[in-house]
Amino acid sequence: MSKCVQTTLHTLCKRYRPTAGDQYFPLTVKATGIRTMVNLQEVSNNKVFGGQQKVFSHQSTELKCTMKFGIFLPPAVEKGKVPVLYWLSGLTCTEQNFISKAGAQKYATEHGLILVAPDTSPRGVGIEGEDDSYDFGSGAGFYVDATQEKWKTNYRMYSYITKELPALINANFPTIPDRQSIFGHSMGGHGAIVCALKNPGMFRSVSAFAPISNPTHCAWGKKAFAGYLGTDTKAWEEYDSVCLLHKYNGPPIELLVDQGKADNFLADKQLLPDNLIEACTATKSPVVLRMQEGYDHSYFFIATFIEDHIKHHAKFLKA
C-alpha cells in the first residue's frame, strides 16, 4: 500500500464517526492499525464521564438469536489497549439496567477499564412458556447451558458468556485479552462466580452483589435448574458456586461479596451467603463478605458500592 493511500485512509477513518444504526462490515487496513467492527450493529452511543457508552446488537451463534450488549469505552482506549471487566445482571434485567443505574462508568474512566454488560437471556426465540414467569425463561437464563430438549438450542448463556462474547469483544475492541475480570448481581453474581470457578485463570478477579450463592438449595435455583438441566441434581452442581468451590483447582481467587442486610431475598433464603462463606472457609478460598446495614436488593445498593468493586478488580487487572 502506498504512503498516499495509507494517509488518505487514516485521515478518513479519523474523521468518520459512526452513528446509531450503522452496519459494520469487514475491512483490514493493517498499515494504520484500524480496528474494524465485524458483525456488529451500533444501537446507541452516549458520552459519559469522558468515555463512550455504546450498545451493540449481533447475531449470536450460541443462542441462535439477536443479542445486545452494552460496552463502555473509557478515554484510555484512545491511547492503547486496556483490560475488560464483564458485568452479569440479575433476574428480569437487560443490558440497560447496569449501564443506566449503576454509575460504574465514572470509576471505569478513573481506572482505564472497558465495561461489558450483556443481556441475561436469549430473546424472542419462540419457545412456548419463555415469557410466563419472571424467574425462568426470558430475562432468567441463569448462565447455564441448558440440556433439556425444549431449551437446549437457545439457552446457552454459560457458553455465550465464557466463549462467544469474549471472542467478539476481543476481536472488535482495544482489549488486553488476558486481562479480564467478572462481577455481577443476584443471578448475575451467581453467574460471575460460576464462570470464574469453571474456568481457572480466565478471569483475574471476581466479585458479586447479593449473589444466589447456593442455587441447588434455594427456590429460584431449583426451578431454573430443573427446567434447564432436568431432574439429575448432580448436573445442577456444575452451576453451583458452593459445590464448585469444593473441587476448584486453579489459581487463588480473592472473592469480594457485598450483601444488603435489608434485602428481602436474603430473608427469603434465596441468596444463602452463609453457605458460600462456609465453603470458602472449608476450602481456604480467600473471601470478603461485607454485610451492609439497611441496604436492599436494588441498584441503589449497587450504585453505593460499585466504586469499591471496580477498585477491587483494577487491583488485579492493572497488576
Side-chain angles (χ1 to χ4, degrees), residues 62-63 88 120-122 136 140-148 151-152 154-162 187 190-191 194-195 198 215 221 224-230 235-240:
E62 287 287 354
L63 308 179
L88 304 185
T120 54
S121 76
F136 186 79
F142 263 85
Y143 305 102
V144 305
D145 282 351
T147 57
Q148 297 306 288
W151 306 96
K152 67 180 184 181
N154 303 101
Y155 277 71
R156 296 178 50 79
M157 286 299 293
Y158 171 75
S159 287
Y160 178 72
I161 296 300
T162 59
M187 178 185 72
H190 138 77
V194 165
C195 288
K198 286 172 70 70
F225 287 1
Y228 295 134
L229 305 174
W236 298 6
E237 294 178 3
E238 290 301 309
Y239 297 100
D240 186 301

Side-chain angles (χ1 to χ4, degrees), residues 8-188:
T8 301
L9 280 170
H10 184 65
T11 302
L12 286 172
C13 290
K14 280 174 60 178
R15 290 178 179 174
Y16 175 65
R17 293 293 182 270
T19 57
D22 282 0
Q23 181 71 48
Y24 296 94
F25 298 95
L27 171 68
T28 301
V29 187
K30 294 182 180 179
T32 60
I34 297 170
R35 179 179 291 267
T36 302
M37 296 181 183
V38 180
N39 301 323
L40 293 179
Q41 184 168 6
E42 187 171 295
V43 176
S44 64
N45 180 16
N46 300 95
K47 186 170 184 177
V48 58
F49 293 111
Q52 299 294 325
Q53 177 61 64
K54 296 173 179 281
V55 173
F56 287 94
S57 67
H58 72 105
Q59 290 299 313
S60 169
T61 56
E62 287 287 354
L63 308 179
K64 307 295 189 295
C65 68
T66 300
M67 289 294 287
K68 292 180 181 178
F69 64 86
I71 183 167
F72 175 69
L73 302 172
V77 300
E78 298 174 6
K79 299 179 180 179
K81 297 180 178 181
V82 302
V84 186
L85 180 53
Y86 289 88
W87 168 269
L88 304 185
S89 292
L91 291 167
T92 75
C93 291
T94 69
E95 79 288 342
Q96 287 294 324
N97 298 72
F98 178 73
I99 67 176
S100 61
K101 295 180 179 180
Q105 297 92 340
K106 179 179 188 294
Y107 309 110
T109 288
E110 291 177 6
H111 293 282
L113 304 177
I114 288 174
L115 295 175
V116 178
D119 201 350
T120 54
S121 76
R123 299 286 176 174
V125 292
I127 300 175
E128 183 182 0
E130 66 180 338
D131 297 323
D132 287 355
S133 61
Y134 81 96
D135 55 359
F136 186 79
S138 296
F142 263 85
Y143 305 102
V144 305
D145 282 351
T147 57
Q148 297 306 288
E149 189 63 36
K150 187 175 179 180
W151 306 96
K152 67 180 184 181
T153 298
N154 303 101
Y155 277 71
R156 296 178 50 79
M157 286 299 293
Y158 171 75
S159 287
Y160 178 72
I161 296 300
T162 59
K163 297 175 183 177
E164 183 178 2
L165 184 60
L168 189 70
I169 297 300
N170 292 335
N172 288 286
F173 300 97
T175 66
I176 305 174
D178 65 344
R179 291 182 179 270
Q180 56 186 13
S181 292
I182 192 165
F183 65 154
H185 171 232
S186 193
M187 178 185 72

Side-chain angles (χ1 to χ4, degrees), residues 196-224:
L197 292 175
K198 286 172 70 70
N199 297 275
M202 180 177 180
F203 300 103
R204 294 202 171 200
S205 54
V206 59
S207 72
F209 292 84
I212 303 173
S213 298
N214 197 186
T216 59
H217 284 69
C218 75
W220 276 340
K222 289 177 181 179
K223 177 180 179 178

